């Protein structure tokens, strides 16, 4: 089951916030909270708030356990931009764009949590299976045969 949380009109540029959301996609919730908690960026605090809200929605509204939740997607969309003016030289002015963003986090319990231990165990099992397969002896098409390289100078034709 999927659970969502949205933080609308966050006062940060979407470009800056996407840097953090890329890091937490696909992680278990506990690991994502650790990544966000130890990041020194302003966006991390806003994403932390949204992530905690999504976890609370999962616990209270959907009756899901936090241990099995995974960040399925963390998306930062562009919100409205406020246009401001700043005085410049010789009576002119320039525009300042104050960007905002919408942060959306989707959690799910349908994706299997993959840890380092389970990944290593799967790789070892695949390596054992590959090593146990008999090699083709009849010279089938998937085996590559190389021709010996010719060395020496070519003779010029007359």
């Amino acid at each position: 089951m999927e659970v969502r949380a949205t933080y609308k009109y966050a006062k940060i540029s979407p470009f800056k916030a996407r840097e953090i959301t890329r890091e937490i996609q696909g992680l278990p919730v506990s690991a994502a909270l650790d990544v966000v908690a130890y990041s020194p960026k302003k966006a991390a605090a806003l994403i932390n708030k949204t992530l905690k809200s999504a976890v609370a929605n999962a616990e209270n509204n959907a009756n899901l356990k936090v241990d099995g939740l995974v960040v399925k997607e963390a998306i930062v969309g562009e919100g409205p931009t406020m246009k401001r003016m700043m005085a410049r030289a010789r009576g002119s002015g320039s525009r300042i764009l104050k960007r905002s963003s919408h942060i959306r986090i989707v959690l799910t319990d349908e994706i299997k949590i993959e840890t380092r231990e389970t990944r290593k165990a799967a790789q070892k099992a695949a390596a054992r299976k590959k090593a146990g397969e008999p090699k083709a002896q009849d010279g089938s098409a998937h085996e590559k045969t190389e021709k010996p390289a010719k060395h020496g100078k070519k003779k010029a034709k007359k």
Side-chain angles (χ1 to χ4, degrees):
M1 179 173 201
E2 291 185 355
V3 182
R4 299 170 187 234
T6 307
Y7 185 151
K8 289 191 165 193
Y9 308 105
K11 297 288 185 199
I12 192 165
S13 167
F15 184 81
K16 294 175 183 176
R18 283 186 193 117
E19 188 177 346
I20 303 294
T21 56
R22 273 191 227 106
E23 292 179 18
I24 66 169
Q25 278 187 340
L27 291 179
V29 170
S30 58
L33 284 170
D34 289 342
V35 167
V36 171
Y38 292 110
S39 178
K41 301 193 175 285
K42 175 187 173 183
L46 303 175
I47 292 168
N48 189 15
K49 187 176 182 180
T50 313
L51 188 58
K52 285 182 179 178
S53 175
V55 169
N57 290 344
E59 282 181 322
N60 298 321
N61 301 344
N63 295 326
L64 297 174
K65 293 184 180 178
V66 181
D67 301 337
L69 292 177
V70 177
V71 179
K72 182 179 181 183
E73 58 183 34
I75 299 173
V76 180
E78 195 168 328
T81 303
M82 295 188 295
K83 282 95 177 176
R84 299 292 181 256
M85 292 293 292
M86 185 167 83
R88 302 303 292 223
R90 300 194 312 192
S92 65
S94 64
R95 287 174 80 174
I96 294 179
L97 301 176
K98 297 196 174 199
R99 301 181 189 276
S100 67
S101 56
H102 302 310
I103 302 168
R104 187 177 86 193
I105 294 180
V106 179
L107 303 178
T108 185
D109 61 347
E110 297 164 358
I111 299 174
K112 186 182 84 172
I113 296 176
E114 187 176 6
T115 60
R116 286 183 183 165
E117 290 79 25
T118 57
R119 191 179 309 133
K120 283 184 181 180
Q123 286 175 349
K124 284 183 181 179
R128 272 191 248 120
K129 183 179 178 185
K130 193 173 184 180
E133 291 179 349
K135 294 183 180 178
Q137 296 173 355
D138 57 349
S140 50
H142 63 78
E143 287 186 18
K144 220 176 192 181
T145 56
E146 292 185 27
K147 295 180 181 178
K150 294 181 181 178
H151 297 288
K153 295 181 183 179
K154 291 183 180 180
K155 294 181 180 178
K157 292 183 180 179
K158 293 185 182 180

